[in-house]
Amino acid sequence: MRERYEPAEVEAAAQQDWAAAGTFTVREDAARPKYYCLCMFPYPSGKLHMGHVRNYTIGDVLARFMRMQGFNVLQPMGWDAFGLPAENAAIENGVAPAKWTRDNISHMKRQLQALGFGIDWSRELATCDADYYRWNQWLFLRMLERGIAYKTTGTVNWDPVDQTVLANEQVIDGRGWRTGAPVERREIPMYYLRITQYAEELLGALGRLDEWPERVRTMQANWIGRSEGVNVTFPWRVAGRAGELRVFTTRADTIMGVTFVAVAPEHPLAELAAQGDPGVRAFVDECRRSSVMEADLATMEKKGVATPLSVTHPLTGADVPVWVGNYVLMAYGEGAVMGVPGHDERDFAFAKKYGLPILPVIDVEGRGYSTDAWQPWYPEYGRCVNSGAYDGLDYAAAVEAIALDLESKGLGRRQVVWRLRDWGISRQRYWGCPIPIIHCPACGDVPVPDAELPVRLPEDLVPDGSGNPLAKSKAFVECRCPKCGAAARRETDTMDTFVDSSWYFFRFACAGNDRAMVDGRASYWMPVDQYIGGIEHAILHLLYARFWTRVMRDCGLTAVDEPFRRLLTQGMVLNEIWFRKPASGRIVYYHPSEVADGRLKADGQPVESGGVGTMSKSRRNGVDPQELVDRYGADTARLFMMFAAPPEHTLEWSDEGVEGAFRFMKRLWKTVHAHVQGGPAAPVERAALDAAQRGLRRQAHQALAKVGDDIGRRRTFNTAIAAVMELLNAIARFEDASPRGRAVMQEALELVVLMLSPFVPHAAHAMWRALGHATMVVDEAWPRPDPAALEQATVEIVVQVNGKLRARVQVAAGADEAAAREAALADPGVARFVAGQTVRKLIYVPGKLVNVVV
RNA sequence: GCCGGGAUGGCGGAAUUGGCAGACGCAGUGGACUCAAAAUCCACCGGUGGCGACAUCGUGCGAGUUCGAGUCUCGCUCCCGGCACCA
């Protein structure tokens, strides 16, 4: 063992030893309990960022810890390799997305290896490989057969200059990101997956995901959005035509307060009205031109237009005018609402603006209602008034009575409506998984036969920003109809990349099978025991994966329905933001390393602080993990990230903090070095130790118990590391070169190395060898705390008088209340506060505390 | 607007079941070593009063429950995140 800690040398040697032994290559083994530890796979954007390092360090610590607990641990890694950035890079640099992606993968793989993650690389996959995405296509065809996948028209953002479809993130302030042209809405045919069919199950099962963060479960529940209500029919008749307008409402109790109905601009009734009314036509067309994004819709002014149509109130028979409103969403419920201005804020505003009558029909605890101005309590539940037969009923009774009456007339039924919508997976993009459909002029849309899968994506195309290069590739598009053999066109849309990430965890478990999507190996490994990734995937990715897994289950491919048993969402990595705002021109950002005490090092002039924020290229506050590893080694980088904050919190970058972690590594190394210079130590003779030796031994075993609990149960890696630091501080104070002292020292250092080995595996590997072991520390079992070491003859208890801390006294370990009372009252510090008063009561918490109440 | 989470020293954070507030680290201060600096080591490090022992206040604000509250209850303030014209 060298005296100096040389991370580069230590880390290369450890990695070589692991590789030579095939340490992380795992096989299914029915005799051992399995543990599948998975981190969300990265998008190969170029190089690793700090968020990756944090994510994969958390996973690696858990994987190594569980391995030491005796589990057969699988920790795989792959690449979420399809997506828009590869096309953008192609547009900028003229490089094919395939080459760009694969170059990035090989670079990032080397970086991951340098960080020492215990990954089974034999299972690596990239979603852009045909032997992966062929199974996307295969399962898509099964979904078509089962009616889970279907085709219908959908709305997209259309850039009229580039003649291309834009993703939502390519629309900036309603304009195309490259052309600046106002974006239009377009209706085009797209494929959808019927996730709504699984809404009830996806929502219900959230309750059983008790090892997921509450936050994520709530977010998913809100997203799925279950509403119970009544679907009400308003019949209409106009110029010889008749029909029924349906609306959904959760407030059937207010139905007697309906003074208008409003339909979405895309609603068939709006179209009908527009045919005979230029005013309505103009309004509907205006709505169509506005943004497709709902966030924008929400902030738009509420506007509407009256139509010449009216409908019949299902209970009163009154005529109710039909309006078209821009605030009515076609995609939710029936695309139409009943207007109850008395008790709905939007309807109230709408009625005020257009002079529609406002009729209060709910009385809330006798509070006075005025139609002059909206009051926040107007939508509260109460008793029906102005409602004929329903007067006096409360919310539940009124809904019940009204639903029954509507049902008996055939003009309504109770209904559950979901906010969740079906998943549109068609993307008019090149770099994605081709949708395996052939369009035949005679046979229509024909699925590609299984035997012809995969439909391979040509890898030599270079997008130029206008349209989808696939559509321009004759070799790809032109084909024969599988049914009739006639000339046909291949579908050029590709799948949403969320499809790729919805089942990759199954594929890791049965890598390399070219005959089936999954096999028996997947039933050994699945479900994933611990999944780790960013909170930004709390809704879409995790919901799609839960859905896709259920589809696989219903296709008989797996018995699992929840893919991820336990979920950890790690916080983001933040850094300081510094900038200057010139009088004219754009804000200039400075890297925190260029700034000291609020001044730019280069010119000594002040810069403005933007607080802390996520590391990003645009704000120039990123820290490159590579520089960190080059300078301090992977172990220090890993240690700092795990120590600086609990895994779910945001982590503020601190160069000083990294220095602190490095200092700790050097101190630990030096301590081990100094110890092993003394030659081999004898085994600990438990019975023959003096007080100081027993003390260190107790601290070591206490730390061991805490660290095991912190990693295994609490996942508070920061406190685990703090406990080891505390132990090392105690070790440093322990100066005892006697044979017995050296034996205790040897044991304590071995425990430190074992406890730290999940965090700093390379240094632990070297120090374990230095401490005299032929084995690799990575193969060691997690030690059990020795109960004998934890025993104490006396314990310190705190003494309070009236709840205020007044003294600490030593009592025998198993002391009863009488003994504790005696010791407490005998203490002079306590006596001072008790003197002259009567002890009314005495609380004793054994081994901890006495509270004297006077 | 609705839902969720949070607020503890100069900073990141700890206090796990209602029982010693501030573990551990960073920054800072003083000292040792050094010609000097870096590195390293030692000590101190919430406020106020006191030479000191010690006392006293202190976990966003206001109440409450309790022998005892950072932790529980009620009411506020502010911050962060999610959803958001969802009928």
Side-chain angles (χ1 to χ4, degrees), chain A residues 254-539:
Chain A
T254 64
I255 197 167
M256 303 305 272
V258 170
T259 60
F260 67 97
V261 294
V263 301
E266 303 88 346
H267 196 279
L269 214 53
E271 183 53 36
L272 180 68
Q275 281 167 15
D277 188 314
V280 176
R281 165 64 64 208
F283 183 76
V284 167
D285 287 348
E286 186 197 324
C287 292
R288 186 159 296 158
R289 276 194 302 275
S290 67
S291 167
V292 71
M293 291 175 73
E294 285 180 6
D296 297 336
L297 287 178
T299 55
M300 258 162 26
E301 192 194 347
K302 284 166 196 51
K303 284 197 285 193
V305 64
T307 73
L309 308 176
S310 64
V311 295
T312 308
H313 192 289
L315 295 177
T316 66
D319 266 2
V320 178
V322 176
W323 285 66
V324 181
N326 67 349
Y327 69 96
V328 184
L329 299 175
M330 191 58 214
Y332 185 76
E334 296 284 355
V337 297
M338 60 184 211
V340 185
H343 303 283
D344 181 280
E345 189 170 3
R346 289 156 302 163
D347 295 346
F348 187 94
F350 198 79
K352 278 279 183 195
K353 181 165 182 175
Y354 295 108
L356 292 158
I358 297 169
L359 178 61
V361 290
I362 301 292
D363 177 68
V364 181
E365 292 161 1
R367 278 195 262 188
Y369 192 102
S370 160
T371 58
D372 293 343
W374 176 257
Q375 300 295 330
W377 58 268
Y378 288 176
E380 286 175 23
Y381 289 168
R383 290 189 184 275
C384 293
V385 292
N386 302 324
S387 299
Y390 309 110
D391 280 356
L393 296 181
D394 67 11
Y395 170 77
V399 169
E400 175 73 17
I402 288 164
L404 277 173
D405 287 350
L406 289 170
E407 277 163 13
S408 71
K409 291 183 165 204
L411 291 176
R413 64 193 163 83
R414 268 166 278 217
Q415 190 187 15
V416 172
V417 162
W418 304 90
R419 206 198 77 105
L420 183 70
R421 296 172 208 167
D422 279 343
W423 176 14
I425 59 156
S426 293
R427 295 290 180 275
Q428 298 70 39
R429 296 272 143 223
Y430 159 55
W431 191 234
C433 168
I435 294 176
I437 294 288
I438 288 168
H439 303 289
C440 169
C443 310
D445 299 340
V446 182
V448 173
D450 287 359
E452 290 173 27
L453 295 182
V455 175
R456 281 181 191 276
L457 184 72
E459 296 202 348
D460 53 350
L461 305 181
V462 183
D464 60 7
S466 71
N468 178 352
L470 272 187
K472 301 177 204 161
S473 163
K474 277 190 174 182
F476 181 78
V477 172
E478 291 177 1
C479 61
R480 294 271 152 198
C481 171
K483 259 193 195 161
C484 68
R489 282 187 57 253
R490 200 176 283 287
E491 170 68 53
T492 57
D493 282 358
T494 55
M495 295 184 193
D496 181 1
T497 54
F498 276 117
V499 169
D500 307 323
S501 55
S502 286
W503 70 281
Y504 70 106
F505 36 89
F506 276 100
R507 195 63 185 170
F508 279 141
C510 48
N513 189 333
D514 58 3
R515 301 225 185 115
M517 188 174 188
V518 287
D519 59 38
R521 292 176 292 165
S523 36
Y524 174 79
W525 291 111
M526 286 296 292
V528 171
D529 294 279
Q530 175 73 63
Y531 196 32
I532 304 150
I535 186 73
E536 66 274 21
H537 294 114
I539 298 173

Side-chain angles (χ1 to χ4, degrees), chain A residues 239-256:
Chain A
R241 292 176 65 177
E244 293 180 331
L245 173 69
R246 277 184 242 284
V247 304
F248 172 75
T249 180
T250 54
R251 290 303 301 271
D253 59 320
T254 64
I255 197 167
M256 303 305 272

Side-chain angles (χ1 to χ4, degrees), chain A residues 612-662:
Chain A
V612 290
T614 54
M615 289 187 175
S616 76
K617 235 180 227 169
S618 59
R619 292 187 294 203
R620 292 202 56 214
N621 66 340
V623 176
D624 185 355
Q626 197 59 51
E627 287 173 25
L628 195 65
V629 172
D630 292 346
R631 185 154 174 197
Y632 298 101
D635 283 336
T636 293
R638 296 168 55 121
L639 185 70
F640 166 71
M641 302 222 94
M642 300 303 278
F643 176 65
E648 313 235 40
H649 282 209
T650 56
L651 184 151
E652 257 179 67
W653 192 258
S654 154
D655 288 333
E656 293 81 10
V658 177
E659 283 286 349
F662 189 54

